[in-house]
């Protein structure tokens, strides 16, 4: 397990801890790390990257939609 600064440049999953620490874990060790540190990991909700879906009716009635 490496801290974020130590692993910079390598492509590894990033884990955010409740303590504020950011840790990057090799993919081979990720499942074990997540299981062992379940109570220390900060859960994050990501915003949707897609906008609202426009209905076909709205597009027909309002060309600017």
């Amino acid at each position: 397990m490496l801290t974020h600064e130590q692993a910079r440049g390598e492509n590894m999953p990033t884990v955010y801890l409740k303590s504020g620490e950011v840790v990057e874990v090799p993919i081979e060790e990720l499942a074990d790390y997540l299981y062992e540190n379940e109570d220390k990991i900060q859960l994050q909700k990501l915003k949707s990257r897609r906008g609202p879906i426009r209905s076909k009716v709205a597009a027909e009635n309002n060309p600017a939609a």
Side-chain angles (χ1 to χ4, degrees):
M1 170 182 69
L2 302 172
T3 64
H4 188 65
E5 290 76 24
Q6 291 171 328
R8 187 169 276 158
E10 294 183 32
N11 192 11
M12 291 193 282
T14 302
V15 179
Y16 295 87
L17 303 178
K18 292 178 181 177
S19 66
E21 186 178 359
V22 178
V23 179
E24 291 191 350
V25 182
I27 195 75
E28 305 85 30
E29 300 172 17
L30 185 59
D32 291 336
Y33 183 83
L34 294 176
Y35 180 76
E36 293 169 2
N37 297 287
E38 184 177 7
D39 57 332
K40 298 176 185 175
I41 296 172
Q42 176 182 346
L43 299 178
Q44 295 183 329
K45 293 185 180 181
L46 300 177
K47 293 182 180 179
S48 174
R49 294 179 186 244
R50 292 185 61 182
I53 299 173
R54 297 181 183 146
S55 71
K56 183 177 180 181
V57 174
E60 290 173 354
N61 294 336
N62 184 359

